[in-house]
C-alpha cells in the first residue's frame, strides 16, 4: 500500500529488493566451517548469489579478509587447535570491520563446546549468533544469572518448552550479548535486542539433510554482509527475518518438487535457492512481528506537552529514562502548543536515535505517517483513530498497539491486526484531560477472561506505589507519564520501575 506521506513527501513503503541486491553485490563470505559441510555450504552460497571461500589458516585469512563482506565461524568439527584460529580470525575481522557470524554447533551437548562458544562471545566482537533453539538456550542459561530456578517460566529446555519461550530467550540473549540472535526450530525466531520476529517457514525434511543448518549460518552471513544498504528502511531483526523466510520458503518449494526424500531434496533445495526472487518474500505475510512481555515492562509515554513544551528537556528525560531501564518509549505529542510538521519530525528522529542507542522499543502515538517516516518500531492507536486493518496495511511488520478500556471495546476491536494492548486508565490521572473513568487493575484480568491473549500494559495514574497491583493483575508492564517525566531524577524513577517489574 502506498500513499503520499506528509512528512517525507514520497512513498511510505519502499519495495523489498533484498535478493536482487544480494545477487548484484555478490558478497564474499569467508567460511571457517566444519569438515562435513564445506561442499554443501559452498554450493549453497553460490546458489543464492554470494561468493564463498573456505579458509583454514591465519596466513591465508590475512590475504582474504580485506575483500570479505562477512566471516562465518562454525564450530561443528571442533579441535583445540581450531580454537586458536577462531580467535585469530575474530581479531582480524574486527580490525577490518568485517561482520562475524558464529554458529555454536552442538554447544548444548557438551561442556567443552559450550566453553569455547562462551569464550568467543566474550570477545565482544560477534555480530550475529545463529543456532538451533537448544543451542541458543544453552548459551542463554550459561550467561544468565536469573534463570537458575527450576520453576523459571522459561522451562528446563527448549525442546520441550512452549514456542513463546524461544522468542523470549532470543530477545534476552540478544540484549545480553549485544548482537542479534537467530534461534531456529519448528518456528524460527530472530531478535536484535529491540524487536522480535517469528518466521514460520521451512519443512521438517530439512533436519534430515546434513548441512542445511550449517548452510543457513553461511546464508545469514551473506545477507548480513549487505545490510548497510537497508539499515535506514529495515531494522536488523526484520532484515534477518526476511533472510530466514527466504531460506524456509526455498525448503518448502523444494519439497513440492522432490517429495519427502532427502537425496532428491538436496538438489531441489539448491535449485530453489537459485530461482526464488523477491516477489515470493512480499507476496504474502512471510514475517510476523512478536511482542514478548519483557519489551513492555516499563513503558514510558511522553511529549513536550508533559514538560512545559520544553524540547531540550524532553530529550534529556528520555535519555535518562533509557539509561534507567525503560523497555519501551512512546512519543505522544498532543495538545495545545505542541510541535507539528517538520519540527515534530526532527524531534521524533532525535528520540528514535536515543531509543536505538539503548535498544528501547520506540513507539509513535496515533501518527501513522510519522511512524513510517522515522522508521519507528511501532505505532499505538486509540479506539477513535484509524482502523487497525488500515494501520497494519500501512506499517507492515511494525508493532501495532491498541487501547482497550472495556469488554465492550474488546468485542468490537479486530485484535487480529494488533500486537499488544494498552488497558486503562488504571487509576485517576491528570496526564490525559480526556481520560475515561478509572477501571482499576482488575480490568486486565477481566479482558483476559473474555479471550484477550495479546500482551497487555496497564496505563493511567500509575506510580511506584501502585504499580505492583497492576502487574499482579495480569499486565506485562506498566505505562507511565508523570511518574518519570515529573520525577526529580528520571533515571532513578525508571530504575525503580524496572527493578519492580523484574522482581515478579
Amino acid at each position: 500500500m502506498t500513499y503520499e506521506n506528509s512528512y517525507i513527501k514520497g512513498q511510505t513503503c519502499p519495495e523489498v529488493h533484498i535478493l536482487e541486491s544480494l545477487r548484484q553485490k555478490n558478497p564474499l563470505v569467508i567460511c571457517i566451517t566444519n569438515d562435513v559441510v564445506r561442499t554443501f555450504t559452498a554450493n549453497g552460497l553460490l546458489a543464492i548469489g554470494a561468493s564463498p571461500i573456505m579458509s583454514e589458516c591465519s596466513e591465508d585469512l590475512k590475504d582474504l579478509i580485506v575483500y570479505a563482506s562477512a566471516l562465518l565461524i562454525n564450530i561443528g568439527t571442533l579441535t583445540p587447535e581450531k580454537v586458536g584460529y577462531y580467535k585469530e580470525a575474530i581479531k582480524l575481522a574486527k580490525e577490518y570491520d568485517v561482520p562475524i557470524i558464529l554458529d555454536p554447533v552442538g554447544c548444548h551437548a557438551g561442556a567443552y563446546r559450550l566453553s569455547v562458544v562462551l569464550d568467543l562471545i566474550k570477545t565482544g566482537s560477534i555480530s550475529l549468533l545463529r543456532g538451533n533453539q537448544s543451542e541458543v538456550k544453552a548459551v542463554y542459561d550459561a550467561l544468565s544469572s536469573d534463570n537458575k530456578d527450576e520453576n523459571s517460566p522459561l522451562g528446563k529446555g527448549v525442546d520441550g518448552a512452549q514456542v513463546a519461550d524461544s522468542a523470549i530467550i532470543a530477545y534476552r540473549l540478544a540484549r545480553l550479548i549485544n548482537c542479534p540472535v537467530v534461534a531456529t526450530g519448528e518456528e524460527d525466531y530472530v531478535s536484535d535486542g529491540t524487536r522480535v520476529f517469528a518466521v514460520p517457514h521451512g519443512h521438517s525434511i530439512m533436519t534430515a539433510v546434513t548441512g542445511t543448518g550449517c548452510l543457513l549460518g553461511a546464508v545469514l552471513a551473506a545477507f548480513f554482509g549487505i545490510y548497510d544498504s537497508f539499515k535506514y528502511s529495515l531494522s536488523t531483526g526484520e532484515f534477518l527475518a526476511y533472510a530466514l523466510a527466504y531460506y524456509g520458503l526455498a525448503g518448502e518449494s523444494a519439497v513440492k518438487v522432490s517429495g519427502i526424500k532427502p537425496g532428491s531434496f538436496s538438489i531441489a533445495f539448491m535449485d530453489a535457492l537459485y530461482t526464488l526472487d523477491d516477489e515470493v518474500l512480499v507476496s504474502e505475510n512471510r514475517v510476523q512481528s512478536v511482542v514478548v512481555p519483557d519489551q513492555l515492562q516499563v513503558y514510558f509515554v511522553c511529549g513536550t506537552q508533559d514538560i512545559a513544551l520544553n524540547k531540550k528537556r524532553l530529550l534529556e528525560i528520555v535519555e535518562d529514562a533509557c539509561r534507567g531501564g525503560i523497555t519501551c518509549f512512546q512519543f505522544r505529542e498532543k495538545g495545545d502548543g505542541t510541535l507539528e510538521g517538520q519540527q515534530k519530525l526532527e524531534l521524533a528522529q532525535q528520540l528514535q536515535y536515543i531509543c536505538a542507542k539503548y535498544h528501547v522499543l520506540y513507539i509513535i502515538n496515533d501518527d501513522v505517517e510519522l511512524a513510517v517516516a522515522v522508521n519507528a518500531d511501532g505505532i499505538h492507536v486509540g479506539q477513535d483513530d484509524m482502523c487497525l486493518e488500515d494501520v497494519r496495511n500501512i506499517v507492515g511488520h511494525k508493532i501495532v498497539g491498541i487501547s482497550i478500556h472495556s469488554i465492550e471495546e474488546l468485542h468490537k476491536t479486530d485484535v487480529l491486526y494488533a500486537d499488544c494492548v494498552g488497558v486503562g486508565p488504571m487509576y485517576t490521572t491528570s496526564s490525559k484531560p480526556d481520560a475515561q473513568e478509572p477501571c482499576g487493575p482488575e480490568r486486565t484480568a477481566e479482558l483476559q477472561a473474555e479471550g484477550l491473549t495479546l500482551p497487555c500494559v496497564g496505563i493511567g495514574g500509575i506510580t511506584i506505589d501502585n504499580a505492583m497491583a497492576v502487574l499482579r493483575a495480569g499486565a506485562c508492564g506498566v505505562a507511565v507519564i508523570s511518574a518519570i517525566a515529573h520525577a526529580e531524577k528520571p533515571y532513578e524513577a525508571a530504575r525503580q520501575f524496572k527493578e519492580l517489574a523484574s522482581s515478579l
Side-chain angles (χ1 to χ4, degrees), residues 296-301 404 421-427 439-441 444 455-462 466-467 470-471 474-481:
L296 304 178
Q297 281 186 331
V298 185
Y299 192 125
F300 180 36
V301 182
I404 297 180
V421 172
V423 181
M426 296 283 106
Y427 308 102
C439 60
T444 301
C456 296
V457 58
I459 186 169
I462 295 175
N466 61 29
V470 176
L471 296 170
C476 297
V478 290
V480 298
I481 301 177

PDB file of all heavy atoms in Angstrom, residues 296-301 404 421-427 439-441 444 455-462 466-467 470-471 474-481:
ATOM      1  N   LEU A 296       7.586  -4.776  27.312  1.00  0.00           N
ATOM      2  CA  LEU A 296       6.563  -3.862  27.814  1.00  0.00           C
ATOM      3  C   LEU A 296       6.699  -3.564  29.303  1.00  0.00           C
ATOM      4  O   LEU A 296       5.879  -2.840  29.868  1.00  0.00           O
ATOM      5  CB  LEU A 296       5.165  -4.454  27.558  1.00  0.00           C
ATOM      6  CG  LEU A 296       4.821  -4.810  26.111  1.00  0.00           C
ATOM      7  CD1 LEU A 296       3.420  -5.420  26.047  1.00  0.00           C
ATOM      8  CD2 LEU A 296       4.915  -3.593  25.206  1.00  0.00           C
ATOM      9  N   GLN A 297       7.721  -4.081  29.948  1.00  0.00           N
ATOM     10  CA  GLN A 297       7.814  -3.969  31.408  1.00  0.00           C
ATOM     11  C   GLN A 297       7.686  -2.532  31.907  1.00  0.00           C
ATOM     12  O   GLN A 297       6.885  -2.245  32.792  1.00  0.00           O
ATOM     13  CB  GLN A 297       9.141  -4.567  31.896  1.00  0.00           C
ATOM     14  CG  GLN A 297       9.159  -6.076  31.970  1.00  0.00           C
ATOM     15  CD  GLN A 297      10.448  -6.579  32.586  1.00  0.00           C
ATOM     16  OE1 GLN A 297      11.505  -5.947  32.492  1.00  0.00           O
ATOM     17  NE2 GLN A 297      10.379  -7.725  33.234  1.00  0.00           N
ATOM     18  N   VAL A 298       8.505  -1.643  31.367  1.00  0.00           N
ATOM     19  CA  VAL A 298       8.463  -0.229  31.776  1.00  0.00           C
ATOM     20  C   VAL A 298       8.265   0.605  30.519  1.00  0.00           C
ATOM     21  O   VAL A 298       9.190   0.792  29.735  1.00  0.00           O
ATOM     22  CB  VAL A 298       9.738   0.195  32.514  1.00  0.00           C
ATOM     23  CG1 VAL A 298       9.588   1.638  33.030  1.00  0.00           C
ATOM     24  CG2 VAL A 298      10.044  -0.740  33.672  1.00  0.00           C
ATOM     25  N   TYR A 299       7.048   1.073  30.339  1.00  0.00           N
ATOM     26  CA  TYR A 299       6.586   1.692  29.099  1.00  0.00           C
ATOM     27  C   TYR A 299       6.376   3.183  29.382  1.00  0.00           C
ATOM     28  O   TYR A 299       5.378   3.583  29.979  1.00  0.00           O
ATOM     29  CB  TYR A 299       5.276   1.009  28.694  1.00  0.00           C
ATOM     30  CG  TYR A 299       4.730   1.268  27.317  1.00  0.00           C
ATOM     31  CD1 TYR A 299       4.459   0.209  26.467  1.00  0.00           C
ATOM     32  CD2 TYR A 299       4.419   2.548  26.888  1.00  0.00           C
ATOM     33  CE1 TYR A 299       3.918   0.419  25.201  1.00  0.00           C
ATOM     34  CE2 TYR A 299       3.890   2.773  25.632  1.00  0.00           C
ATOM     35  CZ  TYR A 299       3.634   1.702  24.793  1.00  0.00           C
ATOM     36  OH  TYR A 299       3.086   1.920  23.558  1.00  0.00           O
ATOM     37  N   PHE A 300       7.326   4.004  28.956  1.00  0.00           N
ATOM     38  CA  PHE A 300       7.301   5.441  29.234  1.00  0.00           C
ATOM     39  C   PHE A 300       6.627   6.178  28.080  1.00  0.00           C
ATOM     40  O   PHE A 300       6.992   5.989  26.913  1.00  0.00           O
ATOM     41  CB  PHE A 300       8.726   5.942  29.442  1.00  0.00           C
ATOM     42  CG  PHE A 300       8.855   7.408  29.734  1.00  0.00           C
ATOM     43  CD1 PHE A 300       7.913   8.072  30.510  1.00  0.00           C
ATOM     44  CD2 PHE A 300       9.935   8.125  29.255  1.00  0.00           C
ATOM     45  CE1 PHE A 300       8.042   9.422  30.792  1.00  0.00           C
ATOM     46  CE2 PHE A 300      10.080   9.478  29.528  1.00  0.00           C
ATOM     47  CZ  PHE A 300       9.124  10.130  30.293  1.00  0.00           C
ATOM     48  N   VAL A 301       5.637   6.999  28.407  1.00  0.00           N
ATOM     49  CA  VAL A 301       4.911   7.792  27.415  1.00  0.00           C
ATOM     50  C   VAL A 301       5.164   9.268  27.704  1.00  0.00           C
ATOM     51  O   VAL A 301       4.994   9.718  28.845  1.00  0.00           O
ATOM     52  CB  VAL A 301       3.398   7.504  27.483  1.00  0.00           C
ATOM     53  CG1 VAL A 301       2.653   8.289  26.405  1.00  0.00           C
ATOM     54  CG2 VAL A 301       3.120   6.011  27.350  1.00  0.00           C
ATOM     55  N   ILE A 404      -7.661  -0.489  24.769  1.00  0.00           N
ATOM     56  CA  ILE A 404      -8.943  -1.131  25.054  1.00  0.00           C
ATOM     57  C   ILE A 404      -9.298  -0.855  26.510  1.00  0.00           C
ATOM     58  O   ILE A 404      -8.515  -1.172  27.411  1.00  0.00           O
ATOM     59  CB  ILE A 404      -8.891  -2.647  24.794  1.00  0.00           C
ATOM     60  CG1 ILE A 404      -8.619  -2.934  23.299  1.00  0.00           C
ATOM     61  CG2 ILE A 404     -10.194  -3.315  25.232  1.00  0.00           C
ATOM     62  CD1 ILE A 404      -8.539  -4.407  22.950  1.00  0.00           C
ATOM     63  N   VAL A 421      -1.715  -4.489  23.753  1.00  0.00           N
ATOM     64  CA  VAL A 421      -2.885  -3.722  24.166  1.00  0.00           C
ATOM     65  C   VAL A 421      -2.541  -2.846  25.365  1.00  0.00           C
ATOM     66  O   VAL A 421      -1.882  -3.299  26.314  1.00  0.00           O
ATOM     67  CB  VAL A 421      -4.051  -4.671  24.538  1.00  0.00           C
ATOM     68  CG1 VAL A 421      -5.206  -3.896  25.143  1.00  0.00           C
ATOM     69  CG2 VAL A 421      -4.511  -5.450  23.311  1.00  0.00           C
ATOM     70  N   GLY A 422      -3.000  -1.597  25.327  1.00  0.00           N
ATOM     71  CA  GLY A 422      -2.932  -0.719  26.484  1.00  0.00           C
ATOM     72  C   GLY A 422      -4.276  -0.708  27.185  1.00  0.00           C
ATOM     73  O   GLY A 422      -5.310  -0.443  26.554  1.00  0.00           O
ATOM     74  N   VAL A 423      -4.293  -1.021  28.470  1.00  0.00           N
ATOM     75  CA  VAL A 423      -5.539  -1.121  29.230  1.00  0.00           C
ATOM     76  C   VAL A 423      -5.548  -0.040  30.311  1.00  0.00           C
ATOM     77  O   VAL A 423      -4.593   0.098  31.064  1.00  0.00           O
ATOM     78  CB  VAL A 423      -5.690  -2.505  29.890  1.00  0.00           C
ATOM     79  CG1 VAL A 423      -7.005  -2.595  30.656  1.00  0.00           C
ATOM     80  CG2 VAL A 423      -5.618  -3.611  28.835  1.00  0.00           C
ATOM     81  N   GLY A 424      -6.641   0.712  30.375  1.00  0.00           N
ATOM     82  CA  GLY A 424      -6.717   1.732  31.404  1.00  0.00           C
ATOM     83  C   GLY A 424      -7.884   2.679  31.184  1.00  0.00           C
ATOM     84  O   GLY A 424      -8.751   2.412  30.349  1.00  0.00           O
ATOM     85  N   PRO A 425      -7.921   3.782  31.949  1.00  0.00           N
ATOM     86  CA  PRO A 425      -6.928   4.128  32.967  1.00  0.00           C
ATOM     87  C   PRO A 425      -7.063   3.262  34.226  1.00  0.00           C
ATOM     88  O   PRO A 425      -8.171   3.021  34.702  1.00  0.00           O
ATOM     89  CB  PRO A 425      -7.225   5.595  33.280  1.00  0.00           C
ATOM     90  CG  PRO A 425      -8.668   5.763  32.921  1.00  0.00           C
ATOM     91  CD  PRO A 425      -8.945   4.829  31.785  1.00  0.00           C
ATOM     92  N   MET A 426      -5.933   2.821  34.727  1.00  0.00           N
ATOM     93  CA  MET A 426      -5.937   2.011  35.941  1.00  0.00           C
ATOM     94  C   MET A 426      -6.438   2.829  37.140  1.00  0.00           C
ATOM     95  O   MET A 426      -7.228   2.355  37.950  1.00  0.00           O
ATOM     96  CB  MET A 426      -4.513   1.513  36.243  1.00  0.00           C
ATOM     97  CG  MET A 426      -3.930   0.582  35.187  1.00  0.00           C
ATOM     98  SD  MET A 426      -4.594  -1.098  35.275  1.00  0.00           S
ATOM     99  CE  MET A 426      -5.663  -1.125  33.856  1.00  0.00           C
ATOM    100  N   TYR A 427      -5.922   4.071  37.222  1.00  0.00           N
ATOM    101  CA  TYR A 427      -6.262   4.951  38.325  1.00  0.00           C
ATOM    102  C   TYR A 427      -6.555   6.340  37.767  1.00  0.00           C
ATOM    103  O   TYR A 427      -6.369   6.596  36.577  1.00  0.00           O
ATOM    104  CB  TYR A 427      -5.112   5.020  39.346  1.00  0.00           C
ATOM    105  CG  TYR A 427      -4.618   3.669  39.825  1.00  0.00           C
ATOM    106  CD1 TYR A 427      -3.447   3.122  39.327  1.00  0.00           C
ATOM    107  CD2 TYR A 427      -5.334   2.958  40.782  1.00  0.00           C
ATOM    108  CE1 TYR A 427      -2.989   1.885  39.762  1.00  0.00           C
ATOM    109  CE2 TYR A 427      -4.890   1.719  41.228  1.00  0.00           C
ATOM    110  CZ  TYR A 427      -3.715   1.185  40.708  1.00  0.00           C
ATOM    111  OH  TYR A 427      -3.275  -0.044  41.139  1.00  0.00           O
ATOM    112  N   CYS A 439     -10.671   2.230  35.629  1.00  0.00           N
ATOM    113  CA  CYS A 439     -11.269   0.892  35.587  1.00  0.00           C
ATOM    114  C   CYS A 439     -10.635  -0.055  36.598  1.00  0.00           C
ATOM    115  O   CYS A 439     -11.165  -1.128  36.876  1.00  0.00           O
ATOM    116  CB  CYS A 439     -11.141   0.303  34.185  1.00  0.00           C
ATOM    117  SG  CYS A 439      -9.437   0.115  33.609  1.00  0.00           S
ATOM    118  N   GLY A 440      -9.459   0.337  37.138  1.00  0.00           N
ATOM    119  CA  GLY A 440      -8.789  -0.496  38.125  1.00  0.00           C
ATOM    120  C   GLY A 440      -7.971  -1.615  37.515  1.00  0.00           C
ATOM    121  O   GLY A 440      -8.218  -2.030  36.381  1.00  0.00           O
ATOM    122  N   PRO A 441      -6.968  -2.121  38.236  1.00  0.00           N
ATOM    123  CA  PRO A 441      -6.101  -3.187  37.732  1.00  0.00           C
ATOM    124  C   PRO A 441      -6.844  -4.441  37.309  1.00  0.00           C
ATOM    125  O   PRO A 441      -6.415  -5.165  36.412  1.00  0.00           O
ATOM    126  CB  PRO A 441      -5.178  -3.468  38.917  1.00  0.00           C
ATOM    127  CG  PRO A 441      -5.188  -2.223  39.728  1.00  0.00           C
ATOM    128  CD  PRO A 441      -6.574  -1.666  39.581  1.00  0.00           C
ATOM    129  N   THR A 444      -7.680  -5.725  33.451  1.00  0.00           N
ATOM    130  CA  THR A 444      -6.826  -6.579  32.629  1.00  0.00           C
ATOM    131  C   THR A 444      -7.247  -8.038  32.749  1.00  0.00           C
ATOM    132  O   THR A 444      -7.403  -8.739  31.745  1.00  0.00           O
ATOM    133  CB  THR A 444      -5.349  -6.435  33.043  1.00  0.00           C
ATOM    134  OG1 THR A 444      -4.942  -5.076  32.893  1.00  0.00           O
ATOM    135  CG2 THR A 444      -4.455  -7.315  32.170  1.00  0.00           C
ATOM    136  N   PRO A 455      -0.270  -9.445  24.706  1.00  0.00           N
ATOM    137  CA  PRO A 455       0.383  -8.837  25.873  1.00  0.00           C
ATOM    138  C   PRO A 455      -0.274  -7.499  26.206  1.00  0.00           C
ATOM    139  O   PRO A 455      -0.577  -6.699  25.313  1.00  0.00           O
ATOM    140  CB  PRO A 455       1.829  -8.651  25.419  1.00  0.00           C
ATOM    141  CG  PRO A 455       2.011  -9.577  24.269  1.00  0.00           C
ATOM    142  CD  PRO A 455       0.687  -9.686  23.604  1.00  0.00           C
ATOM    143  N   CYS A 456      -0.479  -7.248  27.492  1.00  0.00           N
ATOM    144  CA  CYS A 456      -1.159  -6.030  27.938  1.00  0.00           C
ATOM    145  C   CYS A 456      -0.236  -5.190  28.809  1.00  0.00           C
ATOM    146  O   CYS A 456       0.562  -5.713  29.582  1.00  0.00           O
ATOM    147  CB  CYS A 456      -2.402  -6.374  28.756  1.00  0.00           C
ATOM    148  SG  CYS A 456      -3.676  -7.251  27.850  1.00  0.00           S
ATOM    149  N   VAL A 457      -0.397  -3.878  28.681  1.00  0.00           N
ATOM    150  CA  VAL A 457       0.298  -2.955  29.567  1.00  0.00           C
ATOM    151  C   VAL A 457      -0.750  -2.060  30.212  1.00  0.00           C
ATOM    152  O   VAL A 457      -1.666  -1.563  29.559  1.00  0.00           O
ATOM    153  CB  VAL A 457       1.362  -2.126  28.797  1.00  0.00           C
ATOM    154  CG1 VAL A 457       0.738  -1.344  27.659  1.00  0.00           C
ATOM    155  CG2 VAL A 457       2.117  -1.196  29.731  1.00  0.00           C
ATOM    156  N   GLY A 458      -0.658  -1.896  31.535  1.00  0.00           N
ATOM    157  CA  GLY A 458      -1.590  -1.033  32.243  1.00  0.00           C
ATOM    158  C   GLY A 458      -1.143   0.407  32.173  1.00  0.00           C
ATOM    159  O   GLY A 458       0.056   0.702  32.235  1.00  0.00           O
ATOM    160  N   ILE A 459      -2.090   1.344  32.046  1.00  0.00           N
ATOM    161  CA  ILE A 459      -1.746   2.754  31.930  1.00  0.00           C
ATOM    162  C   ILE A 459      -2.753   3.594  32.707  1.00  0.00           C
ATOM    163  O   ILE A 459      -3.914   3.210  32.860  1.00  0.00           O
ATOM    164  CB  ILE A 459      -1.709   3.193  30.442  1.00  0.00           C
ATOM    165  CG1 ILE A 459      -1.198   4.627  30.313  1.00  0.00           C
ATOM    166  CG2 ILE A 459      -3.080   3.037  29.779  1.00  0.00           C
ATOM    167  CD1 ILE A 459      -0.876   5.043  28.891  1.00  0.00           C
ATOM    168  N   GLY A 460      -2.279   4.733  33.189  1.00  0.00           N
ATOM    169  CA  GLY A 460      -3.165   5.680  33.830  1.00  0.00           C
ATOM    170  C   GLY A 460      -2.974   5.788  35.325  1.00  0.00           C
ATOM    171  O   GLY A 460      -3.351   4.876  36.058  1.00  0.00           O
ATOM    172  N   GLY A 461      -2.361   6.877  35.770  1.00  0.00           N
ATOM    173  CA  GLY A 461      -2.230   7.140  37.194  1.00  0.00           C
ATOM    174  C   GLY A 461      -1.306   6.192  37.929  1.00  0.00           C
ATOM    175  O   GLY A 461      -1.382   6.076  39.158  1.00  0.00           O
ATOM    176  N   ILE A 462      -0.405   5.533  37.217  1.00  0.00           N
ATOM    177  CA  ILE A 462       0.455   4.529  37.853  1.00  0.00           C
ATOM    178  C   ILE A 462       1.676   5.186  38.493  1.00  0.00           C
ATOM    179  O   ILE A 462       2.354   6.015  37.882  1.00  0.00           O
ATOM    180  CB  ILE A 462       0.877   3.463  36.829  1.00  0.00           C
ATOM    181  CG1 ILE A 462      -0.360   2.686  36.345  1.00  0.00           C
ATOM    182  CG2 ILE A 462       1.901   2.499  37.429  1.00  0.00           C
ATOM    183  CD1 ILE A 462      -0.079   1.694  35.238  1.00  0.00           C
ATOM    184  N   ASN A 466       1.716   1.935  43.378  1.00  0.00           N
ATOM    185  CA  ASN A 466       0.573   1.108  42.975  1.00  0.00           C
ATOM    186  C   ASN A 466       0.848   0.219  41.765  1.00  0.00           C
ATOM    187  O   ASN A 466      -0.026  -0.511  41.313  1.00  0.00           O
ATOM    188  CB  ASN A 466      -0.667   1.983  42.710  1.00  0.00           C
ATOM    189  CG  ASN A 466      -0.452   2.990  41.586  1.00  0.00           C
ATOM    190  OD1 ASN A 466       0.325   2.771  40.670  1.00  0.00           O
ATOM    191  ND2 ASN A 466      -1.168   4.118  41.660  1.00  0.00           N
ATOM    192  N   ALA A 467       2.068   0.284  41.242  1.00  0.00           N
ATOM    193  CA  ALA A 467       2.404  -0.465  40.032  1.00  0.00           C
ATOM    194  C   ALA A 467       2.320  -1.974  40.234  1.00  0.00           C
ATOM    195  O   ALA A 467       1.909  -2.711  39.332  1.00  0.00           O
ATOM    196  CB  ALA A 467       3.796  -0.085  39.538  1.00  0.00           C
ATOM    197  N   VAL A 470      -0.973  -3.583  39.488  1.00  0.00           N
ATOM    198  CA  VAL A 470      -1.254  -3.676  38.053  1.00  0.00           C
ATOM    199  C   VAL A 470      -0.572  -4.909  37.460  1.00  0.00           C
ATOM    200  O   VAL A 470      -1.169  -5.661  36.685  1.00  0.00           O
ATOM    201  CB  VAL A 470      -0.781  -2.391  37.333  1.00  0.00           C
ATOM    202  CG1 VAL A 470      -0.986  -2.517  35.822  1.00  0.00           C
ATOM    203  CG2 VAL A 470      -1.514  -1.170  37.871  1.00  0.00           C
ATOM    204  N   LEU A 471       0.663  -5.140  37.836  1.00  0.00           N
ATOM    205  CA  LEU A 471       1.413  -6.278  37.327  1.00  0.00           C
ATOM    206  C   LEU A 471       0.819  -7.596  37.818  1.00  0.00           C
ATOM    207  O   LEU A 471       0.697  -8.558  37.061  1.00  0.00           O
ATOM    208  CB  LEU A 471       2.881  -6.166  37.744  1.00  0.00           C
ATOM    209  CG  LEU A 471       3.648  -4.964  37.163  1.00  0.00           C
ATOM    210  CD1 LEU A 471       5.002  -4.813  37.838  1.00  0.00           C
ATOM    211  CD2 LEU A 471       3.832  -5.112  35.663  1.00  0.00           C
ATOM    212  N   GLY A 474      -2.180  -9.112  35.977  1.00  0.00           N
ATOM    213  CA  GLY A 474      -2.027  -9.756  34.670  1.00  0.00           C
ATOM    214  C   GLY A 474      -1.366  -8.927  33.597  1.00  0.00           C
ATOM    215  O   GLY A 474      -1.145  -9.409  32.476  1.00  0.00           O
ATOM    216  N   ALA A 475      -1.029  -7.661  33.887  1.00  0.00           N
ATOM    217  CA  ALA A 475      -0.339  -6.836  32.899  1.00  0.00           C
ATOM    218  C   ALA A 475       1.127  -7.252  32.797  1.00  0.00           C
ATOM    219  O   ALA A 475       1.749  -7.625  33.792  1.00  0.00           O
ATOM    220  CB  ALA A 475      -0.435  -5.364  33.283  1.00  0.00           C
ATOM    221  N   CYS A 476       1.670  -7.176  31.568  1.00  0.00           N
ATOM    222  CA  CYS A 476       3.099  -7.472  31.361  1.00  0.00           C
ATOM    223  C   CYS A 476       3.972  -6.333  31.847  1.00  0.00           C
ATOM    224  O   CYS A 476       5.146  -6.530  32.160  1.00  0.00           O
ATOM    225  CB  CYS A 476       3.381  -7.700  29.875  1.00  0.00           C
ATOM    226  SG  CYS A 476       2.538  -9.112  29.164  1.00  0.00           S
ATOM    227  N   GLY A 477       3.383  -5.135  31.850  1.00  0.00           N
ATOM    228  CA  GLY A 477       4.159  -3.979  32.245  1.00  0.00           C
ATOM    229  C   GLY A 477       3.269  -2.818  32.612  1.00  0.00           C
ATOM    230  O   GLY A 477       2.038  -2.909  32.574  1.00  0.00           O
ATOM    231  N   VAL A 478       3.909  -1.705  32.979  1.00  0.00           N
ATOM    232  CA  VAL A 478       3.183  -0.501  33.364  1.00  0.00           C
ATOM    233  C   VAL A 478       3.619   0.652  32.477  1.00  0.00           C
ATOM    234  O   VAL A 478       4.812   0.845  32.216  1.00  0.00           O
ATOM    235  CB  VAL A 478       3.418  -0.145  34.849  1.00  0.00           C
ATOM    236  CG1 VAL A 478       2.727  -1.158  35.740  1.00  0.00           C
ATOM    237  CG2 VAL A 478       4.912  -0.090  35.175  1.00  0.00           C
ATOM    238  N   ALA A 479       2.637   1.408  31.988  1.00  0.00           N
ATOM    239  CA  ALA A 479       2.908   2.603  31.201  1.00  0.00           C
ATOM    240  C   ALA A 479       2.755   3.820  32.098  1.00  0.00           C
ATOM    241  O   ALA A 479       1.746   3.969  32.791  1.00  0.00           O
ATOM    242  CB  ALA A 479       1.951   2.685  30.017  1.00  0.00           C
ATOM    243  N   VAL A 480       3.780   4.664  32.100  1.00  0.00           N
ATOM    244  CA  VAL A 480       3.763   5.817  32.997  1.00  0.00           C
ATOM    245  C   VAL A 480       4.138   7.083  32.245  1.00  0.00           C
ATOM    246  O   VAL A 480       4.879   7.044  31.264  1.00  0.00           O
ATOM    247  CB  VAL A 480       4.732   5.620  34.192  1.00  0.00           C
ATOM    248  CG1 VAL A 480       4.316   4.424  35.027  1.00  0.00           C
ATOM    249  CG2 VAL A 480       6.162   5.443  33.715  1.00  0.00           C
ATOM    250  N   ILE A 481       3.621   8.195  32.722  1.00  0.00           N
ATOM    251  CA  ILE A 481       3.982   9.506  32.179  1.00  0.00           C
ATOM    252  C   ILE A 481       4.606  10.332  33.298  1.00  0.00           C
ATOM    253  O   ILE A 481       5.813  10.450  33.401  1.00  0.00           O
ATOM    254  CB  ILE A 481       2.760  10.226  31.565  1.00  0.00           C
ATOM    255  CG1 ILE A 481       2.149   9.385  30.440  1.00  0.00           C
ATOM    256  CG2 ILE A 481       3.177  11.600  31.015  1.00  0.00           C
ATOM    257  CD1 ILE A 481       0.886   9.978  29.828  1.00  0.00           C
TER     258      ILE A 481
END
